[in-house]
Amino acid sequence: MPEDITPQLVGQETVEGIAEAWGELDGRQFRDGTLRLVTRSEQLVAIRTVRSSVQPPLFSADSLSVPLAGLDECHYVTPTRDGIATSRQDSVSYHSRSGAAEWVFRHFSWGDEPLGSGACAETPDGLHLLAVVPGTPDETGEYPGDRCVLLETGNGNAIDEALLPSFSGSYTLDAPFRQSPTFFLSAAQGQEDVYSWKVDIVDGRLHITELASGEERVTAVQNGRVLVQDDGGCWLRVRSAVPEGAPPIESEVTPEDLRAERESYITGDSGFVDASHVIVAVGEEWWSEETEHFLLDAENLTIQHRIRYPFPDGPDPKALGDGTWITVNGDDVQRWRVAQ
Protein backbone atom coordinates (compact mmCIF):
# COMPACT_ATOMS: atom_id res chain seq x y z
CA MET A 1 0.00 0.00 0.00
CA PRO A 2 1.20 3.54 -0.69
CA GLU A 3 2.12 5.84 2.16
CA ASP A 4 -0.78 7.87 3.57
CA ILE A 5 -0.38 11.64 3.76
CA THR A 6 -2.61 14.39 5.14
CA PRO A 7 -2.68 17.43 2.83
CA GLN A 8 -2.54 21.02 4.03
CA LEU A 9 -5.74 23.04 3.78
CA VAL A 10 -4.82 26.43 2.28
CA GLY A 11 -8.28 27.87 1.60
CA GLN A 12 -11.94 27.20 2.23
CA GLU A 13 -15.17 29.04 1.44
CA THR A 14 -18.86 28.21 1.38
CA VAL A 15 -20.52 28.49 -2.04
CA GLU A 16 -24.24 27.81 -2.20
CA GLY A 17 -25.09 25.42 -5.01
CA ILE A 18 -21.54 24.26 -5.71
CA ALA A 19 -22.30 20.58 -5.05
CA GLU A 20 -24.77 20.54 -7.93
CA ALA A 21 -22.58 22.72 -10.15
CA TRP A 22 -19.52 20.50 -9.63
CA GLY A 23 -21.04 17.81 -11.82
CA GLU A 24 -22.35 20.14 -14.55
CA LEU A 25 -20.58 20.61 -17.89
CA ASP A 26 -20.01 24.31 -17.20
CA GLY A 27 -19.61 24.09 -13.41
CA ARG A 28 -15.79 24.20 -13.45
CA GLN A 29 -13.92 25.62 -16.39
CA PHE A 30 -10.43 26.96 -17.00
CA ARG A 31 -10.39 30.40 -18.62
CA ASP A 32 -7.12 32.20 -19.35
CA GLY A 33 -5.28 29.72 -17.13
CA THR A 34 -7.47 30.16 -14.03
CA LEU A 35 -10.30 28.01 -12.71
CA ARG A 36 -13.80 29.52 -12.75
CA LEU A 37 -16.69 28.02 -10.78
CA VAL A 38 -20.18 28.63 -12.17
CA THR A 39 -23.26 28.27 -9.95
CA ARG A 40 -26.93 29.07 -10.59
CA SER A 41 -29.86 30.09 -8.40
CA GLU A 42 -33.24 30.76 -9.95
CA GLN A 43 -32.52 33.56 -12.50
CA LEU A 44 -29.01 34.48 -11.31
CA VAL A 45 -25.71 33.02 -12.45
CA ALA A 46 -22.59 33.52 -10.31
CA ILE A 47 -18.99 33.07 -11.50
CA ARG A 48 -16.08 32.91 -9.07
CA THR A 49 -12.39 32.89 -9.97
CA VAL A 50 -9.91 30.86 -7.92
CA ARG A 51 -6.99 33.15 -6.99
CA SER A 52 -3.53 32.48 -8.40
CA SER A 53 -2.10 32.94 -4.91
CA VAL A 54 -2.47 30.04 -2.49
CA GLN A 55 -3.01 32.49 0.37
CA PRO A 56 -6.59 33.15 1.54
CA PRO A 57 -9.12 34.18 0.42
CA LEU A 58 -9.86 31.34 -1.97
CA PHE A 59 -11.57 33.48 -4.62
CA SER A 60 -10.60 36.78 -6.20
CA ALA A 61 -12.68 39.86 -5.40
CA ASP A 62 -14.04 40.25 -8.94
CA SER A 63 -16.76 37.60 -8.67
CA LEU A 64 -19.54 38.10 -11.20
CA SER A 65 -23.30 37.80 -10.67
CA VAL A 66 -25.54 38.25 -13.69
CA PRO A 67 -29.35 38.12 -13.73
CA LEU A 68 -30.42 36.03 -16.69
CA ALA A 69 -33.92 35.23 -17.90
CA GLY A 70 -34.47 31.63 -18.97
CA LEU A 71 -31.37 30.42 -17.15
CA ASP A 72 -32.82 26.92 -16.95
CA GLU A 73 -32.69 26.82 -20.77
CA CYS A 74 -28.95 27.50 -20.86
CA HIS A 75 -26.83 24.42 -21.52
CA TYR A 76 -23.57 26.26 -20.85
CA VAL A 77 -22.63 29.63 -19.31
CA THR A 78 -19.14 31.11 -19.51
CA PRO A 79 -17.56 34.41 -18.38
CA THR A 80 -16.49 37.11 -20.83
CA ARG A 81 -14.66 40.40 -20.35
CA ASP A 82 -17.88 42.36 -20.06
CA GLY A 83 -20.39 39.77 -18.88
CA ILE A 84 -21.26 36.24 -19.93
CA ALA A 85 -21.96 34.13 -23.00
CA THR A 86 -24.42 31.25 -23.15
CA SER A 87 -25.11 28.19 -25.28
CA ARG A 88 -28.82 27.37 -25.51
CA GLN A 89 -30.94 24.86 -27.39
CA ASP A 90 -31.07 26.94 -30.60
CA SER A 91 -28.63 29.83 -30.11
CA VAL A 92 -25.43 31.28 -28.70
CA SER A 93 -25.85 34.65 -26.98
CA TYR A 94 -23.57 37.35 -25.58
CA HIS A 95 -24.75 39.30 -22.52
CA SER A 96 -23.66 42.38 -20.60
CA ARG A 97 -23.34 42.35 -16.81
CA SER A 98 -26.94 43.50 -16.57
CA GLY A 99 -28.06 40.33 -18.35
CA ALA A 100 -29.12 42.17 -21.51
CA ALA A 101 -28.36 40.32 -24.74
CA GLU A 102 -25.81 42.15 -26.92
CA TRP A 103 -26.33 39.74 -29.81
CA VAL A 104 -27.68 36.28 -30.59
CA PHE A 105 -26.24 33.74 -33.04
CA ARG A 106 -29.02 31.40 -34.17
CA HIS A 107 -28.44 27.78 -35.18
CA PHE A 108 -30.40 24.60 -35.75
CA SER A 109 -31.79 23.12 -32.55
CA TRP A 110 -29.90 20.43 -30.72
CA GLY A 111 -33.12 18.40 -30.71
CA ASP A 112 -34.44 16.07 -28.06
CA GLU A 113 -33.20 12.57 -28.95
CA PRO A 114 -30.32 12.11 -28.71
CA LEU A 115 -29.76 15.17 -26.58
CA GLY A 116 -26.77 17.35 -27.45
CA SER A 117 -25.52 20.53 -25.80
CA GLY A 118 -23.03 23.16 -26.89
CA ALA A 119 -20.25 25.05 -25.16
CA CYS A 120 -18.59 28.43 -25.67
CA ALA A 121 -15.51 30.37 -24.53
CA GLU A 122 -14.05 33.81 -25.17
CA THR A 123 -10.46 34.25 -26.33
CA PRO A 124 -8.11 35.99 -23.86
CA ASP A 125 -7.93 39.11 -26.06
CA GLY A 126 -11.71 39.43 -25.97
CA LEU A 127 -12.00 39.56 -29.77
CA HIS A 128 -13.59 36.18 -30.48
CA LEU A 129 -16.02 33.69 -29.03
CA LEU A 130 -15.45 30.01 -29.74
CA ALA A 131 -18.66 27.95 -29.78
CA VAL A 132 -19.88 24.46 -30.68
CA VAL A 133 -23.26 24.26 -32.42
CA PRO A 134 -25.15 21.53 -34.31
CA GLY A 135 -24.45 20.80 -37.94
CA THR A 136 -26.72 21.87 -40.79
CA PRO A 137 -29.29 19.14 -41.58
CA ASP A 138 -29.77 17.97 -45.17
CA GLU A 139 -33.12 17.26 -46.80
CA THR A 140 -33.45 14.05 -44.77
CA GLY A 141 -32.87 15.92 -41.50
CA GLU A 142 -29.44 14.39 -40.91
CA TYR A 143 -25.98 15.97 -40.80
CA PRO A 144 -22.41 14.59 -40.70
CA GLY A 145 -21.26 16.32 -37.53
CA ASP A 146 -21.48 19.28 -35.18
CA ARG A 147 -19.72 22.55 -35.99
CA CYS A 148 -17.01 24.46 -34.15
CA VAL A 149 -17.54 28.13 -35.03
CA LEU A 150 -15.54 31.29 -34.37
CA LEU A 151 -17.64 34.39 -33.75
CA GLU A 152 -16.71 38.06 -33.44
CA THR A 153 -17.54 39.26 -29.94
CA GLY A 154 -18.56 42.68 -31.21
CA ASN A 155 -21.46 41.47 -33.34
CA GLY A 156 -21.72 37.67 -33.28
CA ASN A 157 -20.77 37.26 -36.94
CA ALA A 158 -19.20 33.91 -37.85
CA ILE A 159 -15.75 34.30 -39.39
CA ASP A 160 -14.65 30.66 -39.50
CA GLU A 161 -15.95 27.18 -38.74
CA ALA A 162 -14.83 23.55 -38.78
CA LEU A 163 -16.84 20.34 -39.01
CA LEU A 164 -16.41 17.89 -36.13
CA PRO A 165 -16.75 14.09 -36.42
CA SER A 166 -19.06 14.06 -33.39
CA PHE A 167 -22.78 14.77 -33.64
CA SER A 168 -25.40 15.52 -30.99
CA GLY A 169 -22.56 15.55 -28.48
CA SER A 170 -22.30 17.19 -25.05
CA TYR A 171 -19.32 19.55 -25.02
CA THR A 172 -16.89 21.20 -22.61
CA LEU A 173 -14.18 23.80 -23.30
CA ASP A 174 -11.06 24.67 -21.29
CA ALA A 175 -8.33 27.27 -21.73
CA PRO A 176 -5.61 26.13 -19.29
CA PHE A 177 -2.83 28.45 -20.53
CA ARG A 178 -2.63 32.15 -19.70
CA GLN A 179 -2.86 34.64 -22.58
CA SER A 180 -3.03 31.81 -25.10
CA PRO A 181 -5.71 31.30 -27.81
CA THR A 182 -5.44 27.52 -27.35
CA PHE A 183 -8.49 25.63 -26.14
CA PHE A 184 -9.15 22.00 -25.31
CA LEU A 185 -12.53 20.75 -26.47
CA SER A 186 -14.16 17.51 -25.34
CA ALA A 187 -17.32 15.77 -26.53
CA ALA A 188 -19.39 12.95 -25.06
CA GLN A 189 -21.48 11.31 -27.77
CA GLY A 190 -24.12 8.97 -26.42
CA GLN A 191 -23.08 6.41 -23.82
CA GLU A 192 -19.87 5.15 -25.42
CA ASP A 193 -18.01 7.55 -27.73
CA VAL A 194 -15.90 10.45 -26.51
CA TYR A 195 -13.56 12.86 -28.29
CA SER A 196 -10.88 15.37 -27.29
CA TRP A 197 -9.31 18.07 -29.50
CA LYS A 198 -6.83 20.91 -29.25
CA VAL A 199 -8.24 24.05 -30.87
CA ASP A 200 -5.83 26.82 -31.84
CA ILE A 201 -7.02 30.20 -33.10
CA VAL A 202 -4.51 31.89 -35.39
CA ASP A 203 -5.29 35.07 -37.35
CA GLY A 204 -9.01 34.53 -36.98
CA ARG A 205 -8.91 30.93 -38.18
CA LEU A 206 -9.51 27.60 -36.44
CA HIS A 207 -6.90 24.85 -36.35
CA ILE A 208 -8.18 21.63 -34.78
CA THR A 209 -6.05 18.62 -33.76
CA GLU A 210 -7.63 15.41 -32.47
CA LEU A 211 -5.98 14.16 -29.27
CA ALA A 212 -8.17 11.19 -28.33
CA SER A 213 -11.34 9.44 -29.49
CA GLY A 214 -13.36 6.28 -29.07
CA GLU A 215 -13.44 5.25 -25.42
CA GLU A 216 -10.74 7.62 -24.16
CA ARG A 217 -10.60 11.34 -23.42
CA VAL A 218 -8.05 13.95 -22.39
CA THR A 219 -8.59 15.20 -18.83
CA ALA A 220 -5.57 17.51 -18.37
CA VAL A 221 -2.64 19.07 -20.23
CA GLN A 222 0.69 20.45 -19.11
CA ASN A 223 4.10 21.09 -20.71
CA GLY A 224 3.42 19.17 -23.91
CA ARG A 225 1.89 16.21 -22.08
CA VAL A 226 -1.72 15.05 -21.81
CA LEU A 227 -3.52 12.79 -19.38
CA VAL A 228 -5.73 10.37 -21.30
CA GLN A 229 -8.36 8.52 -19.27
CA ASP A 230 -10.46 5.53 -20.25
CA ASP A 231 -14.06 6.72 -20.22
CA GLY A 232 -15.07 3.57 -18.34
CA GLY A 233 -12.45 4.21 -15.66
CA CYS A 234 -10.22 1.22 -16.48
CA TRP A 235 -6.91 3.06 -16.96
CA LEU A 236 -5.08 6.40 -17.05
CA ARG A 237 -2.17 7.19 -19.37
CA VAL A 238 0.24 10.07 -19.75
CA ARG A 239 1.23 10.84 -23.33
CA SER A 240 3.24 13.34 -25.29
CA ALA A 241 0.90 15.69 -27.14
CA VAL A 242 2.29 15.58 -30.66
CA PRO A 243 0.70 17.61 -33.47
CA GLU A 244 0.16 14.73 -35.90
CA GLY A 245 -0.66 11.06 -35.55
CA ALA A 246 -1.53 9.12 -32.42
CA PRO A 247 0.37 10.41 -29.36
CA PRO A 248 2.67 7.67 -28.05
CA ILE A 249 1.88 6.10 -24.69
CA GLU A 250 4.50 6.98 -22.10
CA SER A 251 3.10 5.19 -19.06
CA GLU A 252 -0.11 3.76 -17.65
CA VAL A 253 -1.81 3.08 -14.33
CA THR A 254 -4.92 0.99 -13.62
CA PRO A 255 -7.29 1.02 -10.63
CA GLU A 256 -5.86 -2.34 -9.56
CA ASP A 257 -2.46 -0.68 -9.25
CA LEU A 258 -3.98 1.77 -6.78
CA ARG A 259 -6.44 -0.41 -4.84
CA ALA A 260 -5.59 -4.04 -5.44
CA GLU A 261 -7.82 -5.32 -2.64
CA ARG A 262 -11.16 -4.65 -4.40
CA GLU A 263 -12.66 -3.85 -7.78
CA SER A 264 -12.26 -0.15 -8.52
CA TYR A 265 -12.55 2.46 -11.28
CA ILE A 266 -10.83 5.75 -11.99
CA THR A 267 -13.43 8.53 -11.74
CA GLY A 268 -13.77 12.24 -12.48
CA ASP A 269 -11.03 14.18 -14.27
CA SER A 270 -7.48 13.21 -13.31
CA GLY A 271 -5.16 16.22 -13.41
CA PHE A 272 -1.64 17.62 -13.08
CA VAL A 273 -1.20 19.09 -9.60
CA ASP A 274 2.14 20.43 -10.83
CA ALA A 275 4.92 19.33 -13.18
CA SER A 276 5.77 16.39 -10.91
CA HIS A 277 2.44 15.15 -9.56
CA VAL A 278 -0.86 13.80 -10.88
CA ILE A 279 -3.97 13.45 -8.72
CA VAL A 280 -6.51 10.71 -9.41
CA ALA A 281 -9.76 9.60 -7.76
CA VAL A 282 -10.71 5.92 -7.48
CA GLY A 283 -14.11 4.53 -6.51
CA GLU A 284 -16.10 1.31 -6.57
CA GLU A 285 -17.94 2.53 -9.70
CA TRP A 286 -16.82 4.97 -12.38
CA TRP A 287 -19.54 7.38 -11.18
CA SER A 288 -18.83 6.84 -7.46
CA GLU A 289 -19.64 9.65 -5.03
CA GLU A 290 -17.30 8.17 -2.42
CA THR A 291 -13.72 7.90 -3.63
CA GLU A 292 -10.12 7.76 -2.51
CA HIS A 293 -7.56 10.17 -3.93
CA PHE A 294 -3.99 9.29 -4.87
CA LEU A 295 -0.91 11.29 -5.87
CA LEU A 296 1.12 9.77 -8.71
CA ASP A 297 4.46 10.60 -10.28
CA ALA A 298 3.70 12.69 -13.37
CA GLU A 299 6.45 11.04 -15.42
CA ASN A 300 5.61 7.37 -14.99
CA LEU A 301 2.33 7.34 -12.99
CA THR A 302 3.84 5.30 -10.17
CA ILE A 303 1.99 5.67 -6.87
CA GLN A 304 3.47 8.13 -4.38
CA HIS A 305 0.81 8.68 -1.74
CA ARG A 306 -2.75 7.95 -0.73
CA ILE A 307 -4.40 11.17 0.46
CA ARG A 308 -6.16 11.11 3.84
CA TYR A 309 -8.13 14.31 4.35
CA PRO A 310 -8.73 15.60 7.89
CA PHE A 311 -12.50 15.69 7.21
CA PRO A 312 -14.84 14.30 4.51
CA ASP A 313 -13.99 15.34 0.97
CA GLY A 314 -15.88 15.36 -2.33
CA PRO A 315 -16.05 12.70 -5.04
CA ASP A 316 -13.30 13.98 -7.35
CA PRO A 317 -10.64 16.69 -7.15
CA LYS A 318 -9.77 19.42 -9.67
CA ALA A 319 -6.03 20.00 -10.05
CA LEU A 320 -4.92 23.60 -10.63
CA GLY A 321 -1.42 22.89 -11.95
CA ASP A 322 0.25 25.18 -9.40
CA GLY A 323 0.81 22.59 -6.68
CA THR A 324 -2.75 22.75 -5.36
CA TRP A 325 -6.12 21.13 -6.02
CA ILE A 326 -9.78 21.81 -5.24
CA THR A 327 -12.37 19.54 -3.63
CA VAL A 328 -16.04 20.13 -2.85
CA ASN A 329 -17.96 18.73 0.11
CA GLY A 330 -21.56 19.91 0.30
CA ASP A 331 -21.47 23.70 -0.07
CA ASP A 332 -17.83 23.95 1.04
CA VAL A 333 -14.99 24.44 -1.45
CA GLN A 334 -11.51 23.51 -0.20
CA ARG A 335 -8.07 24.13 -1.66
CA TRP A 336 -5.25 21.74 -0.72
CA ARG A 337 -1.57 21.18 -1.23
CA VAL A 338 0.95 18.63 -0.01
CA ALA A 339 1.98 19.68 3.51
CA GLN A 340 5.13 21.75 3.51
Side-chain angles (χ1 to χ4, degrees):
M1 290 294 295
E3 176 189 2
D4 289 353
I5 63 165
T6 300
Q8 179 184 0
L9 181 66
V10 295
Q12 176 172 288
E13 291 196 30
T14 299
V15 177
E16 184 178 353
I18 190 60
E20 179 180 357
W22 197 249
E24 297 295 328
L25 295 175
D26 63 353
R28 40 183 173 167
Q29 46 186 283
F30 279 104
R31 294 294 179 265
D32 196 19
T34 59
L35 184 65
R36 314 293 179 94
L37 302 183
V38 180
T39 56
R40 311 181 188 201
S41 58
E42 296 183 354
Q43 294 187 345
L44 187 72
V45 59
I47 299 175
R48 295 171 175 84
T49 301
V50 176
R51 295 181 66 228
S52 58
S53 170
V54 299
Q55 301 301 319
L58 178 57
F59 301 112
S60 63
D62 59 346
S63 61
L64 178 65
S65 295
V66 177
L68 194 64
L71 184 57
D72 57 339
E73 300 172 358
C74 296
H75 294 157
Y76 197 95
V77 179
T78 194
T80 65
R81 283 192 171 190
D82 300 316
I84 60 172
T86 71
S87 289
R88 299 175 185 256
Q89 187 78 354
D90 60 359
S91 64
V92 175
S93 54
Y94 198 85
H95 300 260
S96 66
R97 289 174 179 258
S98 69
E102 301 292 324
W103 51 257
V104 178
F105 176 81
R106 301 286 180 184
H107 55 71
F108 285 95
S109 174
W110 284 102
D112 297 323
E113 292 293 341
L115 179 64
S117 60
C120 51
E122 189 174 55
T123 56
D125 59 14
L127 297 179
H128 302 107
L129 187 76
L130 183 67
V132 182
V133 301
T136 303
D138 57 22
E139 60 275 7
T140 67
E142 298 182 350
Y143 62 91
D146 296 327
R147 299 151 55 209
C148 185
V149 298
L150 189 64
L151 310 175
E152 293 182 307
T153 56
N155 51 31
N157 290 338
I159 59 175
D160 196 21
E161 70 171 67
L163 185 67
L164 300 173
S166 52
F167 57 91
S168 294
S170 297
Y171 293 90
T172 60
L173 269 166
D174 277 304
F177 307 132
R178 291 191 60 81
Q179 296 300 308
S180 171
T182 295
F183 294 84
F184 290 84
L185 172 65
S186 292
Q189 180 179 292
Q191 297 294 319
E192 298 179 356
D193 293 333
V194 290
Y195 295 85
S196 297
W197 302 274
K198 182 167 73 80
V199 182
D200 294 296
I201 301 171
V202 182
D203 297 328
R205 294 292 180 265
L206 297 170
H207 301 268
I208 299 180
T209 304
E210 184 176 295
L211 298 177
S213 63
E215 297 180 352
E216 60 183 31
R217 61 190 176 92
V218 171
T219 62
V221 296
Q222 187 181 76
N223 299 331
R225 297 176 299 174
V226 295
L227 285 176
V228 182
Q229 190 168 309
D230 172 58
D231 201 45
C234 295
W235 49 259
L236 175 71
R237 295 167 180 163
V238 61
R239 296 176 177 169
S240 295
V242 296
E244 295 181 358
I249 298 173
E250 294 182 351
S251 54
E252 177 180 294
V253 67
T254 67
E256 292 76 19
D257 297 326
L258 302 172
R259 296 202 312 185
E261 69 274 12
R262 59 186 184 274
E263 183 177 7
S264 301
Y265 299 86
I266 296 173
T267 74
D269 293 334
S270 303
F272 290 104
V273 173
D274 52 32
S276 302
H277 301 91
V278 164
I279 193 167
V280 59
V282 178
E284 294 185 1
E285 303 289 349
W286 65 267
W287 60 85
S288 293
E289 289 294 322
E290 295 183 3
T291 62
E292 288 185 303
H293 301 173
F294 295 84
L295 283 177
L296 314 179
D297 186 289
E299 292 295 330
N300 53 32
L301 297 184
T302 55
I303 309 168
Q304 294 187 329
H305 304 287
R306 179 172 59 180
I307 300 172
R308 291 302 194 193
Y309 295 96
F311 45 79
D313 61 289
D316 63 295
K318 188 67 174 178
L320 300 184
D322 61 356
T324 68
W325 66 93
I326 297 288
T327 61
V328 165
N329 180 34
D331 284 341
D332 292 328
V333 181
Q334 295 101 13
R335 187 176 190 176
W336 307 90
R337 69 180 175 190
V338 177
Q340 302 296 303

